[in-house]
Amino acid sequence: MQVVALLTDFGTEDGFIGAVKGVISSINPSVQFIDITHSIKSFDIFEGALILNATYRYFPKGTIFFSVVDPGVGTERNPIAVQTKDYFFVAPDNGILSIALKNEKILKIVKINSKDLLPERDTETFHGRDIFAPAVGYISRGCPLELIGEELNDYIRIDFPEPEVTNSYLIGEIIKFDKFGNGITNIKELPPFDEIEINGIKIKKVVKGFLEGDKGSINLIKGSFGFYEVFSPKESAEQKFNLKKGDKIKIKLKR
Amino acid sequence: MQVVALLTDFGTEDGFIGAVKGVISSINPSVQFIDITHSIKSFDIFEGALILNATYRYFPKGTIFFSVVDPGVGTERNPIAVQTKDYFFVAPDNGILSIALKNEKILKIVKINSKDLLPERDTETFHGRDIFAPAVGYISRGCPLELIGEELNDYIRIDFPEPEVTNSYLIGEIIKFDKFGNGITNIKELPPFDEIEINGIKIKKVVKGFLEGDKGSINLIKGSFGFYEVFSPKESAEQKFNLKKGDKIKIKLKR
Amino acid sequence: MQVVALLTDFGTEDGFIGAVKGVISSINPSVQFIDITHSIKSFDIFEGALILNATYRYFPKGTIFFSVVDPGVGTERNPIAVQTKDYFFVAPDNGILSIALKNEKILKIVKINSKDLLPERDTETFHGRDIFAPAVGYISRGCPLELIGEELNDYIRIDFPEPEVTNSYLIGEIIKFDKFGNGITNIKELPPFDEIEINGIKIKKVVKGFLEGDKGSINLIKGSFGFYEVFSPKESAEQKFNLKKGDKIKIKLKR
């Protein structure tokens, strides 16, 4: 079955995502819906981009990603559909795709504006339902991107906060907490180091499994988002050590 | 695939909705489940009716709606199945269908009571699993409503709080907040007006897109529920202006 | 369609369960996913075992249960797959299956360790995605358990808190609250009794339907988890009577 994977900040309480899926299955009754998450913080494009990037590569080839965190709904920002070598992405052109697309071979980008495919609407508040869902529906039926809208040359990027490198330090930061209170940093590879600290607290251990960490301390592990994470075994490091998004992790380089 | 759309106040933490889907797919292994929401406030029939009405028309023809907010579970209230020109609705007869059904051409209503189709049970606490789910399962396999139970002539309605009209004012109210803190009112059409206010605060702008609204002020927009919504761009109007359900919106008519 | 039912403590905000489903549908594109819950309290194996047991029997024969609450991820605990007469269970061997398996006829247990089927990985933090999901994918395609890994003789059990029996009393306790604030106890059958109390408060009525209960009082009902539940009609008994997990319910036996 054709998989449609969905990532939004719509929440699950108001039925928004139900309406989106209804529209898609009205166009194509045999898609497989897989929810990535609908709990992105309202309007938080960066978090959406981060989680899309952490998950999309685990989906079957040909998956269509409905990726809608859209603070600019109803404005000039373009609704776009992107075809890469392996996937399709449908989203507002506001950067939400930009972390994932960095790894992908892009074949085509279009602005979704075909008058033939989009329903008439009397409100500009819900493009998820009225623009992005029909686009996903038609793409899932094999409709070529040329018919979805006019071609674009490029897409909007957002800044990913890269770690800072000095003579003696690599300085990263916490970019997100997960459900378990682990703090995901922006550090992908760990250089040889003398010492690591966060908020003046020394990192006890760098480990491969959570339970190898020192209990009641902050430890470091390569996590499932593809980044190093600070954690405390079987408890929330976020709460225990009062960590915040943006907190710096300082890695003193080995000399 | 046959779509079964589900709207309940069961929450997602206790596995209730999993058991319901298990029962349905035991009867019919090839349905497509689409969750509308399971986060209706416990026992809030009105909110359930509102969200069902806002979403059902976006689903494919033939969709079966499992709509269960059921404070009277285990009492005399009837479990019913309703066939309309385009859809099926399965629900307790407590008004939850009544806003949606106002728009639909009803073909048949039955009380779900076939002894042949319902499992024996030793508890009356979970009709969602033990009565409504089997009914949905058999309807999804094409079982005619006649076999589900005996015909009824009518169904229960709940009062929708219609706006009040005076000589000089149209007075509506907030009936629900969505996830973004937008306040959905009961006003469907806006008459020519001189001024609009809510809780003594003047509505700044009536707009077509959220970002056209005046930042930090209360604005008005025709929203995706089919009603006008009060909002503040990129923030929660509910929190910012301390709005409450039931707050009156006063529209001074143009003279 | 082959049903895969999922129960975890992964939450729904980080996309973890999306990645799991992506991996499974990459291996088998035609499974039907049904979420039981992903809101088990982090690391709470007992609650996971309880909800799995309350729901699994409502699923079609042949359903594969992805049951992952896994505080020991990355340690020596075995990842296992269990085939029973009617179902398959895939889980860490930490007791999460043990309440459900007590009712099932076990045909085979294996440790999931086939090098051929599992992807290489650079982190041991997400066995849900990297070990359990591939196992489910291959089992769903009919791969025999022999190929998933080596056979085991037994599985880990957790203690279920059985009610205490004295000369004059049966003493149970609250083991979980549901979304409605009903307190699920560990009592399955009610002996002939003179009186029942909880925290010094007398149980007013033992009823078959919630609304037969005495309003504003604590009542008792055989609930959908298969256990007796304390409740107060149309309100949260948990909040109203400040009940807690572990609170004792004392049933004075009839003499």
Side-chain angles (χ1 to χ4, degrees), chain A residues 8 74 89 93 100 106 149 153 155 165 211 232 236:
Chain A
T8 74
F89 297 87
D93 189 16
I106 296 176
N153 293 317
Y155 63 92
V165 191
L211 289 195
S232 185
S236 165

Side-chain angles (χ1 to χ4, degrees), chain A residues 12-204:
Chain A
T12 52
E13 56 265 48
D14 299 312
F16 296 142
I17 203 67
V20 162
K21 290 175 181 172
V23 168
I24 295 171
S25 59
S26 294
I27 295 170
N28 182 353
S30 60
V31 300
Q32 159 94 300
F33 293 111
I34 297 183
D35 296 306
I36 298 175
T37 181
H38 301 297
S39 305
I40 301 293
K41 200 146 52 70
S42 298
F43 314 133
D44 192 337
I45 295 168
F46 177 72
E47 197 196 5
L50 202 64
I51 293 185
L52 180 65
N53 179 56
T55 52
Y56 83 93
R57 75 197 72 206
Y58 295 98
F59 283 82
K61 288 190 183 186
T63 294
I64 304 167
F65 292 92
F66 177 99
S67 319
V68 182
V69 176
D70 194 12
V73 59
T75 63
E76 300 290 295
R77 68 93 192 87
N78 282 330
I80 58 172
V82 180
Q83 181 172 10
T84 69
K85 188 168 151 292
D86 291 332
Y87 298 111
F88 293 90
F89 297 87
V90 170
D93 189 16
N94 60 18
I96 189 171
L97 301 181
S98 62
I99 304 182
L101 287 183
K102 224 184 284 180
N103 318 302
E104 291 296 294
K105 183 171 162 40
I106 296 176
L107 302 185
K108 193 182 281 283
I109 308 172
V110 302
K111 173 176 174 175
I112 303 167
N113 64 0
S114 160
K115 290 238 166 62
D116 298 336
L117 301 181
L118 300 178
E120 278 196 42
R121 55 188 187 274
D122 67 341
T123 164
E124 299 296 331
T125 63
F126 197 4
H127 286 184
R129 180 189 71 195
D130 298 334
I131 294 181
F132 297 112
V136 166
Y138 289 108
I139 293 170
S140 78
R141 284 173 54 173
C143 177
L145 258 53
E146 287 82 345
L147 298 185
I148 302 291
E150 64 190 86
E151 192 158 355
L152 297 174
N153 293 317
D154 205 358
Y155 63 92
I156 303 283
R157 280 152 187 80
I158 47 174
D159 285 336
F160 182 84
E162 295 291 351
E164 197 185 331
V165 191
T166 71
N167 261 347
S168 336
Y169 286 96
L170 177 71
I171 302 174
E173 64 182 272
I174 294 181
I175 56 176
K176 178 189 156 55
F177 291 94
D178 73 10
K179 184 251 186 183
F180 296 95
N182 303 328
I184 291 113
T185 75
N186 55 347
I187 295 170
K188 275 191 167 164
E189 302 297 338
L190 213 52
F193 62 91
D194 274 338
E195 198 176 270
I196 309 179
E197 63 162 71
I198 184 162
N199 293 354
I201 305 165
K202 213 182 126 180
I203 299 286
K204 263 297 177 58

